[in-house]
Amino acid sequence: MKRIKTYEGKRVIVVGLAKSGLNAARLLKKLGAEVTVSDQQPLEKNSEAQELQAEGGYTILTGEQDPSQLDAGFDLMVKNPGIPYDVPLIKAATEAKLPIITEIELASEIADAELIAVTGSNGKTTTTTMITKMMNQERQTGKSAYAGNIGVPASQVAQKLTDQDTMVMEVSSFMLLGTTQFHPHIAVLTNIFANHLDYHKTRENYVRAKMRITQNQTADDYFVVNFDSEELVGLSQQSKAQVVPFSRLAKSKDGAYESDGVLYYKDEPIMAAADVKVPGDHNIENALAAIAVAKIEGRSSEAIKHVLTTFSGVRHRTQYVLTSEGRQFYNDSKATDIEATEMALKGFKVPVVLLAGGLDRGYTFERLVPFFKKHVKAVVLFGETKNLLADAAKKAGIKQIKFVENAEAGVPVAYQLSAAGDIILLSPANASWDQYPNFEVRGDRFIKAVEELTGKKEEN
């Protein structure tokens, strides 16, 4: 950890706690700042605020957050990434020209470790995990650790790593909006879809936020980009870094690509695409992005192949659970949008019984009709969008459409609709908040129901 003096004596307000805010507050105090934390959760229900109160040395504001909190005068705001910029407190800070950053900016400022950052609409977590595993292969000194949007606060991890180590950060568009000096040595952009428009307001804003990952890179750095997208080919020209493409469709052979069922890096064959353990074309793309990073970092093809043939997927992301009576169960609870479910369905070559449904965000599911026609034999639907998904299933000609209370209740129903050789897949295409606190709880309950039905344990 670098002992920077940037924040000594500075008055900083941390808005929004949870894991990232809690760790940002602690780091700022360690760096000599006067720290105020503001979180709308009441103190009696706010475990993070209670922890800081017990530690002492913080001004703690809980409950209603309004612009009057800024009257104390601050030099900086560190904002929880999920808080929109149009809420009154943040809007007032913006109008007052108070600098606003997110926790990953702090982490990058104190990091001694080499920084690799991964963003994209889908595939971030899987790609981040693949890269981390590859970077730990053939290592003589130090270690590789992941952090960021993957669920481990970057400011916490950065404090523990040395200049012999590598930090692989998954970064969201929300996080990137709060960066000014953020500078990864290798930046990865997996793909861009039209996500989070309720937050960013326009697709253009969303794309600009994603491209902040490369804004401070130089010619000594690397920008790994998906060249199967013409949009990303064009965007890559904005970067000052060395552009390293990856392409499942072999649109460029200057980086990592697939050709005739083989994964390559430039002219070097790495492995058969069919040997990548996690299923789906989208995971081939994730693997190619990881291969590009690993080759930039000097890892051997043998080390890369070892990771890709043994890694069975990140929990809740097209995660293989177990096999029973010839049926394979997969948990893709992280599929909170239509694109993610499309990708999951494309990954399977045998009939799928699909469990789907969730929070109604006002869109319909016609886009899924061709994927339903090609891949799905039956659907088990739940949540606010179950009727909308049923309409799409009917248009696809699916005869077996069942409604259930929730994802776990759908497991025995899906099993009855399946046969040996089928896939039973939870890939909801919707957020979970109508019935669950988050997608992790939804996936965990699905797995528990599978274990109870089959009498087997989840395979790791």
Side-chain angles (χ1 to χ4, degrees):
M1 169 182 167
K2 294 176 183 174
R3 294 288 176 177
I4 61 174
K5 298 185 186 254
T6 311
Y7 299 102
E8 284 186 4
K10 299 293 185 183
R11 305 196 70 198
V12 183
I13 181 168
V14 177
V15 180
L17 281 173
K19 289 181 182 178
S20 67
L22 176 67
N23 283 278
R26 285 173 170 158
L27 174 57
L28 285 161
K29 183 184 173 188
K30 187 182 289 188
L31 294 173
E34 298 176 26
V35 182
T36 296
V37 297
S38 171
D39 192 275
Q40 61 184 352
Q41 186 81 350
L43 183 62
E44 61 271 17
K45 297 180 180 179
N46 195 321
S47 59
E48 290 91 357
Q50 290 171 20
E51 284 184 44
L52 294 178
Q53 185 180 59
E55 291 170 16
Y58 303 91
T59 300
I60 297 172
L61 307 173
T62 57
E64 184 179 356
Q65 295 171 302
D66 61 60
S68 67
Q69 293 185 348
L70 301 179
D71 292 346
F74 294 101
D75 301 301
L76 176 73
M77 176 182 285
V78 179
K79 182 184 77 68
N80 183 290
I83 299 173
Y85 284 80
D86 57 2
V87 302
L89 178 60
I90 310 303
K91 190 174 180 181
T94 302
E95 291 171 351
K97 297 187 170 22
L98 179 66
I100 302 172
I101 64 171
T102 51
E103 180 248 2
I104 63 166
E105 178 84 346
L106 282 176
S108 67
E109 288 183 88
I110 62 142
D112 269 327
E114 178 188 32
L115 178 57
I116 298 171
V118 180
T119 197
S121 299
N122 287 314
K124 295 186 295 294
T125 300
T126 297
T127 304
T128 298
T129 307
M130 287 176 171
I131 291 170
T132 305
K133 288 179 176 292
M134 290 176 188
M135 293 300 294
N136 275 323
Q137 298 291 309
E138 303 177 333
R139 198 165 194 128
Q140 301 301 312
T141 58
K143 64 182 179 181
S144 177
Y146 58 59
N149 198 56
I150 201 166
V152 186
S155 58
Q156 183 183 59
V157 175
Q159 293 181 61
K160 299 175 182 177
L161 299 182
T162 72
D163 59 4
Q164 300 297 306
D165 300 322
T166 306
M167 183 161 67
V168 187
M169 290 177 62
E170 177 187 332
V171 292
S172 68
S173 59
F174 300 169
M175 291 172 166
L176 286 167
L177 264 183
T179 58
T180 55
Q181 305 301 317
F182 185 68
H183 183 173
H185 177 50
I186 303 176
V188 180
L189 180 54
T190 60
N191 47 54
I192 291 181
F193 301 116
N195 284 2
H196 305 303
L197 298 190
D198 52 341
Y199 186 102
H200 293 287
K201 308 307 179 189
T202 68
R203 191 178 191 282
E204 290 74 19
N205 289 341
Y206 176 59
V207 171
R208 277 196 293 271
K210 287 295 189 188
M211 286 299 291
R212 281 182 177 236
I213 198 170
T214 188
Q215 68 179 347
N216 295 314
Q217 288 190 298
T218 70
D220 294 326
D221 302 314
Y222 299 89
F223 187 32
V224 177
V225 186
N226 188 343
F227 264 42
D228 288 340
S229 164
E230 290 300 321
E231 179 185 27
L232 297 195
V233 173
L235 288 170
S236 70
Q237 296 173 16
Q238 298 177 14
S239 177
K240 298 183 181 71
Q242 300 172 56
V243 174
V244 180
F246 68 93
S247 173
R248 184 177 60 81
L249 304 177
K251 290 189 174 181
S252 172
K253 296 186 177 181
D254 292 329
Y257 61 96
E258 179 184 355
S259 180
D260 295 327
V262 176
L263 306 186
Y264 288 83
Y265 184 75
K266 298 185 176 177
D267 295 328
E268 181 185 0
I270 307 294
M271 61 182 289
D275 291 339
V276 175
K277 188 167 185 180
V278 286
D281 290 343
H282 61 299
N283 279 317
I284 295 297
E285 292 179 5
N286 297 335
L288 289 169
I291 287 169
V293 173
K295 281 299 184 180
I296 290 168
E297 293 284 347
R299 296 303 185 267
S300 71
S301 296
E302 291 74 20
I304 293 168
K305 184 175 180 180
H306 171 75
V307 169
L308 294 179
T309 55
T310 57
F311 172 58
S312 59
V314 178
R315 193 170 183 82
H316 308 302
R317 294 159 176 84
T318 326
Q319 170 207 356
Y320 169 69
V321 180
L322 58 81
T323 298
S324 180
E325 303 294 330
R327 287 107 163 144
Q328 294 183 33
F329 292 84
Y330 281 83
N331 164 33
D332 191 36
S333 185
K334 180 60 173 67
T336 57
D337 56 42
I338 292 172
E339 289 89 356
T341 296
E342 288 176 357
M343 289 182 176
L345 291 174
K346 287 193 293 185
F348 297 108
K349 309 303 181 188
V350 298
V352 173
V353 177
L354 176 68
L355 292 88
L359 182 71
D360 188 349
R361 282 175 159 165
Y363 50 71
T364 57
F365 298 91
E366 281 80 6
R367 273 185 51 186
L368 285 173
V369 170
F371 298 92
F372 283 177
K373 284 182 178 178
K374 188 172 182 180
H375 301 278
V376 179
K377 66 181 286 186
V379 292
V380 180
L381 307 174
F382 52 86
E384 292 177 354
T385 59
K386 60 181 181 291
N387 291 315
L388 293 168
L389 282 158
D391 290 341
K394 289 172 185 173
K395 289 177 183 176
I398 295 173
K399 303 298 183 186
Q400 300 184 95
I401 301 172
K402 301 292 184 182
F403 296 110
V404 293
E405 179 63 27
N406 49 41
E408 55 267 38
V411 170
V413 176
Y415 188 86
Q416 290 299 319
L417 295 172
S418 67
D422 290 349
I423 300 293
I424 297 176
L425 169 68
L426 172 67
S427 188
N430 294 268
S432 59
W433 303 317
D434 59 333
Q435 294 184 307
Y436 303 92
N438 50 54
F439 70 83
E440 292 95 340
V441 170
R442 178 170 63 187
D444 288 342
R445 291 183 185 172
F446 169 78
I447 291 172
K448 183 179 179 182
V450 171
E451 291 177 334
E452 289 175 350
L453 175 73
T454 63
K456 295 184 175 185
K457 287 294 183 184
E458 171 189 352
E459 297 180 21
N460 295 316

